[in-house]
Amino acid sequence: MKKELMDILACPMCKGDLELSIEAEDEKGEVVVGSLYCGKCDLQYPIDDGIPNLLPPELRQSSD
Amino acid sequence: MDVKSKVGLYWDRRSKTYDRNVYKSQNAAEDFWKSILKTEIGTEQNLNILDVGTGTGFLALLFAELGHKVTGIDISKSMLEKSRFNAYKQKLAVNFMHGDAENLPFDDDSFDIVMNRYLLWTLPDPKTAVNEWSRVVKSGGKLILIDGRWHDPAIYMRLRRFIASIIVLITENRNPRMFSSYYATIKAQLPFFNGITPNDVVDLFTEVGLKKISVNNLEKLRAFETKNRPLPYKIANKPYLFLALGEK
């Protein structure tokens, strides 16, 4: 995931800002593993294999 | 299980076969679709475009080829793996993310163009969806939707779909009845399951406050689809496609 996406990404529930945590980056500086956190909703959205999972929490069961 | 989770699961499974047998010539189809997109969005370069329900990335990759900055979102993880692989094969950069068309993870006014194709019928709450799509369009930007009539309940169309499903079973080696079994339990919760008319879309666009709404009946595309789709598709579907556009 490109870091510049943080300019437009928002929590899918409250549309508030998200905080990016990075666990692994690739050589282009893109986020491979990490998470996006919404402080207002206290929800964490995982970034796995470069793809952020921004599904509302109740829909996450379909993501496996 | 939630209706949208079920839709996601269906498309996860369907992703394994979705790219196959769409057109007789994929290149000719891509060129044709590109010409349609160019007509609708004009000659401006490097636009920020969102493809909602990107699936295998068909529209997203065409926009990327045309030189735009594209983001694709889908509820199905397996579809995203497919679209990302397709982007990688074509050496195109597209931002893919996993998300819900009715609850988009973007700030207001984020995109010059928000587009989708064949998505509205899969959604339980089309009005919320259109409202969300419009919310993330910049002022002066466009919402573009391409859809049609898919599961016409008329008896002769059901018969035609049944015949098509037998041909698919034999020639494509996939079971098209998987669709019926997934959707049987949820179709009552999908208001546009049987198809969408241009008037339905104009009403939705008007309700969410879009302006300069226009409908293009895509006559040339209908003719192209009739000629270039494989036989089962032609039997099962009437060429009834249209494009609706609204400005914010």
Side-chain angles (χ1 to χ4, degrees):
Chain A
M1 187 195 95
K2 287 201 186 81
K3 286 175 201 151
E4 65 185 52
L5 273 175
M6 292 309 296
D7 293 344
I8 55 167
L9 283 182
C11 171
M13 308 312 288
C14 72
K15 316 302 177 191
D17 287 340
L18 294 167
E19 217 174 286
L20 172 67
S21 307
I22 302 169
E23 280 171 47
E25 289 181 33
D26 66 10
E27 68 284 359
K28 287 180 282 180
E30 294 185 11
V31 184
V32 181
V33 182
S35 65
L36 297 156
Y37 177 70
C38 173
K40 216 158 141 194
C41 302
D42 191 22
L43 283 171
Q44 191 140 7
Y45 300 96
I47 303 168
D48 192 17
D49 197 16
I51 295 183
N53 182 345
L54 286 149
L55 282 172
E58 76 272 12
L59 292 177
R60 277 189 202 161
Q61 55 191 356
S62 67
S63 67
D64 301 322
Chain B
M1 188 191 283
D2 177 88
V3 57
K4 276 191 278 193
S5 302
K6 198 140 190 182
V7 168
L9 275 179
Y10 169 75
W11 291 102
D12 275 347
R13 282 194 62 188
R14 184 72 175 87
S15 70
K16 294 181 179 67
T17 52
Y18 194 72
D19 249 354
R20 291 196 328 225
N21 305 303
V22 175
Y23 291 103
K24 286 179 192 160
S25 159
Q26 195 68 16
N27 284 344
E30 283 172 11
D31 286 345
F32 198 89
W33 276 91
K34 256 193 261 180
S35 71
I36 292 172
L37 300 178
K38 270 199 262 185
T39 314
E40 297 299 334
I41 66 172
T43 52
E44 250 183 284
Q45 286 287 301
N46 213 21
L47 295 170
N48 263 310
I49 299 181
L50 174 66
D51 180 19
V52 190
T54 191
T56 56
F58 185 80
L59 283 182
L61 297 179
L62 294 182
F63 279 125
E65 266 185 76
L66 291 170
H68 301 290
K69 278 167 73 179
V70 191
T71 300
I73 189 163
D74 205 284
I75 199 169
S76 157
K77 182 80 188 288
S78 310
M79 279 289 187
L80 289 167
E81 275 156 17
K82 197 135 193 178
S83 54
R84 196 164 61 160
F85 179 68
N86 289 338
Y88 171 79
K89 269 196 306 195
Q90 295 183 49
K91 298 190 172 69
L92 293 168
V94 174
N95 303 307
F96 288 111
M97 57 189 67
H98 199 180
D100 175 20
E102 294 177 353
N103 295 283
L104 291 176
F106 304 108
D107 292 328
D108 297 358
D109 310 307
S110 290
F111 298 95
D112 299 298
I113 289 172
V114 173
M115 182 148 193
N116 66 73
R117 190 179 77 133
Y118 315 154
L119 173 66
L120 210 53
W121 73 267
T122 68
L123 303 175
D125 193 349
K127 195 182 162 195
T128 299
V130 173
N131 201 31
E132 267 296 85
W133 306 341
S134 172
R135 178 183 69 78
V136 303
V137 177
K138 289 179 190 168
S139 173
K142 292 170 182 170
L143 173 61
I144 301 174
L145 184 154
I146 295 174
D147 229 300
R149 193 167 177 90
W150 305 113
H151 314 105
D152 188 336
I155 287 174
Y156 80 100
M157 285 309 294
R158 285 189 202 187
L159 183 65
R160 289 174 66 147
R161 283 199 292 278
F162 179 70
I163 295 166
S165 71
I166 292 170
I167 301 175
V168 167
L169 188 61
I170 296 166
T171 61
E172 294 182 29
N173 193 28
R174 69 176 170 91
N175 183 3
R177 309 304 288 176
M178 181 179 99
F179 175 81
S180 323
S181 61
Y182 264 87
Y183 274 89
T185 53
I186 54 170
K187 64 183 180 188
Q189 292 169 70
L190 306 176
F192 289 128
F193 181 80
N194 290 327
I196 308 160
T197 67
N199 282 344
D200 294 329
V201 178
V202 170
D203 287 350
L204 283 168
F205 279 17
T206 310
E207 274 181 68
V208 303
L210 292 169
K211 293 170 285 199
K212 296 188 194 163
I213 299 166
S214 62
V215 172
N216 175 345
N217 279 325
L218 301 174
E219 303 292 350
K220 283 185 191 157
L221 178 66
R222 292 183 191 187
F224 180 88
E225 295 272 318
T226 305
K227 232 170 95 183
N228 292 282
R229 290 281 197 160
L231 184 66
Y233 181 92
K234 282 195 258 188
I235 293 173
N237 295 284
K238 279 188 286 193
Y240 184 81
L241 297 167
F242 65 90
L243 178 151
L245 185 151
E247 276 185 40
K248 186 166 162 188

